[in-house]
Amino acid sequence: MNKTNARKRMLIGYALVLPAFLVVMLTVAYPILSSVIMSFQDGKTGEFTLENYKYFFVTESQLKNIGFTLYVVVVTVVLAIVIAYLLALYLRFVKSPISRAIGTLYLLPRFIPGLVAVYAMITIIRDTGVINRIAQLLFNYDFKPAMMYHASGLIIMNLWFNIPFAALMITAGLGAIPDSVIESARDVGASRMRVFRTMILPLSMKDVVVAATFVFMTNVGSFTTPYLIGGNSPKMLGIALYDQFNRYLDYNRSAALSVIMFLICSVSAGIYIYTNLKEKEWE
């Protein structure tokens, strides 16, 4: 009788999970599988081919797009994590009216629509924008930042979006470090740098890695910022995918590029999964 009841409870559990499982399969798994299959098909004959992938790794312009995307994303990740970590340290360990004010305001960019933020940044960094006007007013110098349609403009805009997000995650990790642990180390004569190097940094490294993976995956497929600020060549992969799908109507190459972007992001996703599986070792 107990076995029968256990089997019924198990079947009820499966029945409750089944709708969510089907939704995931239909909205996530099926499109991914369909794109992978389409990426290996010829657009005209439907036969198996590797030409769709070969196009992106042989064509010079497409190689530049991949290299340009990786450059922008890696620089964004490094700068965002370094700045966010310093900001998180300040918010965690400095108790002052200024730190409390910053702690209240630093998340403000997360609540501003992306399109609005990009257009606001354009008015600042374009050659006739706010920076140029201030330079003319104060120094009588026609300073042109040259950030529009350039990697520097994309990176600045990406930092504006990603620093608050990364700082939020890292601050949460730093907040989990007990003050008593740090105070004990200080009481036995450990310097601030030693406490940071041997205690704070190791205990917060997991959150740093997780934040870096999210920033990486977010920017690989970004569209709004590179569409409005990026140049015509080279392009971010999100714009290259848009061109293949909407401008050239080459759905098989679009599928291949989608798989390539997925594989690039899977490296970061793998690091994220590994970090979570090793959570006890991090602790």
Side-chain angles (χ1 to χ4, degrees):
M1 187 67 178
N2 291 334
K3 291 184 178 180
T4 304
N5 291 335
R7 185 173 300 174
K8 287 182 179 180
R9 287 195 295 268
M10 182 179 65
L11 292 176
I12 292 173
Y14 286 146
L16 293 174
V17 172
L18 184 61
F21 175 76
L22 293 176
V23 169
V24 171
M25 292 299 294
L26 290 174
T27 60
V28 179
Y30 175 75
I32 292 175
L33 181 61
S34 177
S35 295
V36 172
I37 295 173
M38 187 180 295
S39 68
F40 289 103
Q41 292 178 337
D42 185 272
K44 297 179 179 179
T45 63
E47 297 179 352
F48 176 84
T49 181
L50 294 175
E51 290 299 320
N52 297 320
Y53 288 96
K54 184 179 178 181
Y55 170 77
F56 292 103
F57 293 103
V58 173
T59 308
E60 183 179 357
S61 61
Q62 300 301 324
L63 283 174
K64 287 183 178 180
N65 291 341
I66 296 174
F68 179 72
T69 299
L70 292 176
Y71 168 76
V72 171
V73 171
V74 171
V75 172
T76 297
V77 170
V78 172
L79 293 179
I81 294 302
V82 170
I83 297 173
Y85 194 80
L86 294 176
L87 176 61
L89 286 174
Y90 178 76
L91 295 176
R92 171 65 177 84
F93 297 108
V94 177
K95 308 299 181 182
S96 68
I98 296 178
S99 66
R100 286 194 292 270
I102 294 176
T104 303
L105 296 175
Y106 83 102
L107 289 177
L108 186 61
R110 302 297 302 173
F111 300 98
I112 298 178
L115 195 61
V116 175
V118 174
Y119 272 118
M121 184 64 70
I122 289 174
T123 64
I124 297 174
I125 66 175
R126 64 182 179 182
D127 290 346
T128 57
V130 174
I131 296 177
N132 177 269
R133 295 179 182 181
I134 292 176
Q136 290 187 31
L137 179 64
L138 298 180
F139 308 105
N140 195 27
Y141 177 65
D142 187 21
F143 175 70
K144 299 185 181 300
M147 290 184 179
M148 286 292 295
Y149 315 118
H150 190 268
S152 59
L154 291 172
I155 293 171
I156 292 295
M157 194 70 247
N158 289 340
L159 291 177
W160 193 91
F161 283 118
N162 290 283
I163 287 175
F165 171 74
L168 177 65
M169 297 189 66
I170 297 173
T171 301
L174 291 174
I177 301 176
D179 290 334
S180 58
V181 175
I182 300 173
E183 292 171 359
S184 300
R186 295 286 291 159
D187 289 340
V188 297
S191 64
R192 292 183 178 180
M193 184 56 65
R194 183 176 180 83
V195 171
F196 170 75
R197 188 179 68 254
T198 60
M199 300 179 66
I200 297 175
L201 184 60
L203 290 173
S204 61
M205 186 54 64
K206 176 198 169 186
D207 301 281
V208 171
V209 173
V210 171
T213 59
F214 276 102
V215 173
F216 183 91
M217 289 187 288
T218 300
N219 287 279
V220 167
S222 61
F223 179 81
T224 303
T225 299
Y227 184 78
L228 297 174
I229 296 181
N232 291 325
S233 180
K235 303 175 181 178
M236 295 284 286
L237 289 181
I239 305 301
L241 177 60
Y242 172 82
D243 289 342
Q244 292 294 330
F245 191 85
N246 279 350
R247 183 173 299 178
Y248 307 129
L249 302 179
D250 197 325
Y251 304 123
N252 298 88
R253 284 182 179 175
S254 301
L257 184 54
S258 298
V259 174
I260 293 171
M261 294 171 65
F262 173 78
L263 292 176
I264 294 174
C265 289
S266 66
V267 176
S268 181
I271 295 174
Y272 171 77
I273 294 172
Y274 175 82
T275 302
N276 281 278
L277 290 176
K278 297 294 182 178
E279 183 173 0
K280 291 184 178 179
E281 294 184 12
W282 285 103
E283 294 175 355

